[in-house]
Amino acid sequence: MRGSVQIGKQSKKSLNIEHCIRCPPQEMAEEKINSYINEKLLTEVKPVLFTDLISQFKLGPSKAKKSMYSYYKFTSTSNVNFNCILMCCYKDGTVKLRSDLNNATNEMDEEQDNLTDCFIYAFNPMEEFIPVNSVIEQMNALTIRNPFKLATSTLEEVKPIQPQMRSKTTDASGSSSSKTTHISSRSNTLPESKVESNVAGKIGKKPTSKSKSMGLQSTALLSKMREAREARETERQLELRKRREDAIQKRTKSDPKRKAQMDELNKLFVDDEDEDEDEEEVEIKETATESDHHPVDMENIVAEQNNINEKDEQGSGTGTRVSSSKIATTNVSELEELLNTTTEDSILEIKKDGEKPNDREEKPFTSSSYVDEDGYIVTKRPATSTPPQPAKKRQTHSVNTIKSKRPASVKKKQGSIESFFKRS
Amino acid sequence: MNKWVTKWIKIYLKCFINLILFHRNVYPSVSFDFTTYQAFNLPQFIPINRHPDLQEYIEELILDVISKLTHIYRFCICIIDKENGLRIEKYVLDFGEFQHQQSNEQDDDVINETEVFDEFRSSLNSLISHLEKLNAIKDDAVSFEVVINAIDLELGHRGMENIKNLDAKLGYDRDINWTKAHEDENLPEETEHVGLYKPKINMTSLVGCDVGPLIIHQFCERLTLSDGTLESIYSNMDESSIMESLP
């Protein structure tokens, strides 16, 4: 086919095409096509593209163009109103949509050498050409095919499984009684997957089942998970209580010894240095539980040993408590050794001095920072780890030390301010 | 009436109103944009006005109409002459056979949005092709108004009441916003227009919708006068008629 169909008054070529169209076997098809165009153009009021004919009647593009033109000739005699969208193709590859037909006829004469094709692209019921593209299945209407074939990714072995799955899902959604059906579908699918996962690939199945259950029963699952978590939590709490009780019982058993020992120690140390004992107490406490923040009276510590221990237990977890009790016992044993070997104060003091560096390491640096200057005072400082009273003591002690330094600087500042005001 | 039907009617009415306002030059054409999205997908490129107040007005109008839809059997957009208030054109949507109550829930699944939009496209294209053939209207010559024909609906009789929330306020506003009008023949008084030819109304039926419960008929009316009062509105009335008569 030459293909140069022109809407203008180019009579020769149109005559040729008319001759072709009027062949008897094509008439039936022509009628069908014309009725289709009529239907779409007049009752549906939509633009008809020649590609619509291609996809509808499985024509080639040239035949579609021809039938478009024949429809145009067919209706040009009757008073059907529609607009033709005219497309021109030129030798240099440009494609133009002719909007000014009056000028176009003149131009065409000039450009005719360049013109390779001119055809009716569409019939439009409106002035404005705004076609809407819909999804078209072009299984048989394609004239050019991609060398590659579309391959669906599902394995052959999986195929027999998937239809079952699909049918189940559709049943579940179709019946629309939500919970019971879903549960049943789940119970069905899981054993199948177990059985057949050995035989066939799991690829197709598992994600679908997962997504189904997650998507539909997410809230139920979440609630289940929450319940399980709560149950675990309660179990843990119970176990904690048991352990605490056990620990308390142990403590009470071991307490009388301690009491006696600590009382003896108290008698020894109270005369000389109250705070040394505090250090030991603090040692025990800090090694046991650093997170413990119970306020402790410095002077009553020894008397209230039991109370403190109980408080420690309450404040800390059982795991840490076990270690603390061990440490406490070790300290007690050391003290026992001390008591057995020598009751002299001087030796005890030396021992304590030996222990002190360890104390410093364990204690927070804030307390030791300003006490560094005098080694002997440092031994007394560590008690500051118990918050409330240390504050008082710091104040009393530090005032003495710091006061000597600070006033000078303060005076300097005041002087500078005064001088500033005087100058101004 | 389920939510999808409500949405579809919103879309349809929005396209309908905007198309009329655009093609009848009620508002300047530069204030319209061809778009497919205006808070929801439109069936195709439709000129939608960009003026925020007008958009809000149309939106509220549509919601108002939908809230009364069970009582409405006709919804009209009238193009009126600014000078004398004459209704020169009238675009009518007939909800006479609209199925408000759904027979059963399965209809939800039966209707597909592509089908609905296909039908909307047909209907709107029919309106567009009709509007394009009409005589152009001069700038600043017309305004528009909205008329509904209703059954069992008495508006504006609510007394003062405590309005506690937005819904109550909207309900009150939508009750108060309408005034009663005569259902006339849409003809001017004959004493004013005495002539050789009596004024006539030209009525054209257009493609409506028929998808599931959405059964809407569409037609439009046009006033023809012989004494030349409409020449102030239509820009090239005589010329076009002359042009049409020519071969």
Side-chain angles (χ1 to χ4, degrees), chain B residues 207-233:
Chain B
V207 177
C209 298
D210 186 7
V211 191
L214 290 163
I215 302 174
I216 305 170
H217 300 293
Q218 187 183 17
F219 61 92
C220 54
E221 297 174 354
R222 190 162 55 88
L223 183 69
T224 51
L225 292 173
S226 58
D227 60 352
T229 49
L230 296 180
E231 284 176 18
S232 63
I233 294 166

Side-chain angles (χ1 to χ4, degrees), chain A residues 44-46 125-128, chain B residues 34 118 122 125-126 129 132:
Chain A
E44 286 187 29
V45 201
K46 281 171 187 166
M126 300 165 289
E127 294 282 340
E128 285 152 355
Chain B
F34 275 81
D118 264 351
S122 296
N125 281 345
S126 152
S129 63
E132 281 169 341

